Amino acid sequence: MKYLYALLVFVPIAVVSRLLHWPPIVLFALSALAIIPLSGVLGAATEAVAERTSPAIGGLLNATMGNLAELIIAAMALRAGLIELVKASITGSILGNLLLVLGAALFAGGLKFKVQRFNPHLAGFSATVLAVAAFGLLVPALFQFLHPDPGRVATQQMSYYVAALLISGYAFSLLYSLRTHTSAFLAVEHDAEVTVAPHWSSKQALTILVGSAVAIGVVSEILVSVTEEAVKVMGLSEFFVGLILVPIIGNAAEHSSAILMAMKNRMDLAINVAVGSSIQVALLIGPLLVFLGVVFGQRMDLAFSQMEVASIALSVAVATSVMRDAESNWLEGVFLLLAYAILGVAFFFF
């Protein structure tokens, strides 16, 4: 962790380089490097908070703070009128959390522990909510496909109602997990010794949590401001960058936190972080961007491309298959990572 903290030097370097108008590709690399240690700090603070709360609340906090960078990136792109890039980033975030983040966590934890178990109720709850999230994103695409709408007027109107319903679904899921059925989400007891979180008070942990999240937001703004020009230098398509590159950088917080929790055999929290983030993007972040489009005067809707919707449905099916027995091992992590790599190759040539 000390080596990770040493990388925090890239945060002021990225800010100063922005003020000095360094080349876009340099700014892109520096801001990406700056997000990595900030994500580590965010994960440590989240773990400290979770020690005093529950895995459900800890996972929710981490998912929310981790998605802040992605929300800022998407909002900036939406304001600039890059609607397809915004949709790609939403899809990429869902895929990245379900396959890359969860896969890396299961693999890292599985290398240390032969079999890792988590709350079966959490597994069932996550699978159900993921299915509803996929349903909510599939219907608008199906509507657009079966109801040709060149001006996307009807699609836009329909998206407002679907977005409102998805947000209400997310609110109900929080009410269920944090209020009415809290006891069902208690962490599974483990025989293995669990490493204790940093010795921070609740106030210190929350302050560090919020501070690191704000810093990630600032650095992410630098990142997105040079993404378009950096993409041209790297020779990649905006679609690939939106689906793969931006979510990987934006999901750095979930990466570090989920892997850290899995290596400490805290699988309930690791699942909450990885899967909870995908649920939040699908049921809250995506729908919020539809309404944010109204504020920016942009026609953002929920009708994703057939390839994007199919990828989300397949990822939900694979992740649900892995979680259904409420236990994991390193091989399941490898298979999730392989699935993500296959999609990455497909999107590269798409």
Side-chain angles (χ1 to χ4, degrees):
M1 186 61 74
K2 292 182 179 179
Y3 296 104
L4 188 62
Y5 289 158
L7 294 177
L8 287 171
V9 68
F10 284 107
V11 177
I13 291 177
V15 174
V16 172
S17 63
R18 170 67 182 277
L19 296 176
L20 295 178
H21 304 290
W22 286 12
I25 188 65
V26 176
L27 283 172
F28 188 91
L30 288 174
S31 55
L33 285 173
I35 289 177
I36 295 174
L38 286 172
S39 300
V41 175
L42 182 68
T46 301
E47 185 185 2
V49 173
E51 286 282 353
R52 297 169 176 81
T53 56
S54 67
I57 295 177
L60 174 63
L61 282 173
N62 190 276
T64 302
M65 293 302 177
N67 283 331
L68 177 62
E70 295 171 74
L71 179 59
I72 293 175
I73 292 172
M76 294 283 293
L78 182 59
R79 187 173 64 177
L82 304 175
I83 297 177
E84 294 307 315
L85 180 63
V86 173
K87 290 182 177 180
S89 68
I90 293 173
T91 302
S93 180
I94 296 172
L95 300 181
N97 281 294
L98 282 182
L99 301 179
L100 180 61
V101 178
L102 183 58
L106 297 187
F107 177 69
L111 291 179
K112 190 173 182 181
F113 303 96
K114 187 173 183 179
V115 176
Q116 294 183 287
R117 296 178 175 82
F118 44 91
N119 191 320
H121 192 85
L122 171 63
F125 169 80
S126 299
T128 300
V129 179
L130 280 174
V132 173
F135 184 86
L137 296 178
L138 173 63
V139 170
L142 187 62
F143 176 88
Q144 172 67 17
F145 178 73
L146 297 177
H147 183 274
D149 183 20
R152 301 181 80 95
V153 177
T155 303
Q156 183 74 52
Q157 293 296 322
M158 179 269 303
S159 293
Y160 292 142
Y161 289 99
V162 173
L165 291 171
L166 289 177
I167 292 174
S168 67
Y170 183 69
F172 287 135
S173 71
L174 292 182
L175 179 64
Y176 178 83
S177 61
L178 301 180
R179 186 70 176 177
T180 65
H181 288 69
T182 308
S183 60
F185 292 88
L186 295 178
V188 174
E189 294 293 331
H190 301 291
D191 295 330
E193 182 180 353
V194 177
T195 306
V196 180
H199 295 289
W200 294 329
S201 66
S202 297
K203 186 176 181 180
Q204 287 176 321
L206 284 172
T207 301
I208 295 172
L209 186 70
V210 174
S212 56
V214 171
I216 288 175
V218 173
V219 177
S220 296
E221 189 277 331
I222 299 175
L223 178 74
V224 73
S225 68
V226 297
T227 296
E228 194 169 0
E229 294 182 47
V231 164
K232 296 178 181 178
V233 175
M234 292 185 289
L236 300 174
S237 67
E238 274 192 9
F239 185 71
F240 179 80
V241 170
L243 265 162
I244 303 297
L245 200 55
V246 171
I248 286 178
I249 297 172
N251 285 337
E254 287 90 344
H255 279 169
S256 59
S257 297
I259 293 173
L260 181 65
M261 302 309 165
M263 292 181 68
K264 293 180 179 181
N265 208 24
R266 301 191 62 189
M267 290 307 297
D268 289 323
L269 187 52
I271 296 294
N272 264 312
V273 168
V275 179
S277 184
S278 287
I279 290 173
Q280 189 178 76
V281 170
L283 296 184
L284 181 64
I285 302 299
L288 279 179
L289 287 169
V290 171
F291 295 115
L292 195 58
V294 178
V295 177
F296 292 149
Q298 302 291 343
R299 298 177 64 83
M300 171 71 182
D301 58 51
L302 291 176
F304 293 77
S305 70
Q306 296 176 25
M307 180 66 178
E308 289 174 298
V309 173
S311 298
I312 291 175
L314 289 172
S315 298
V316 169
V318 172
T320 299
S321 176
V322 168
M323 294 187 297
R324 65 185 176 188
D325 58 354
E327 64 178 42
S328 63
N329 53 64
W330 67 266
L331 182 60
E332 291 179 330
V334 169
F335 283 150
L336 288 178
L337 293 174
L338 286 176
Y340 185 75
I342 291 171
L343 287 177
V345 171
F347 284 126
F348 182 79
F349 291 101
F350 187 69

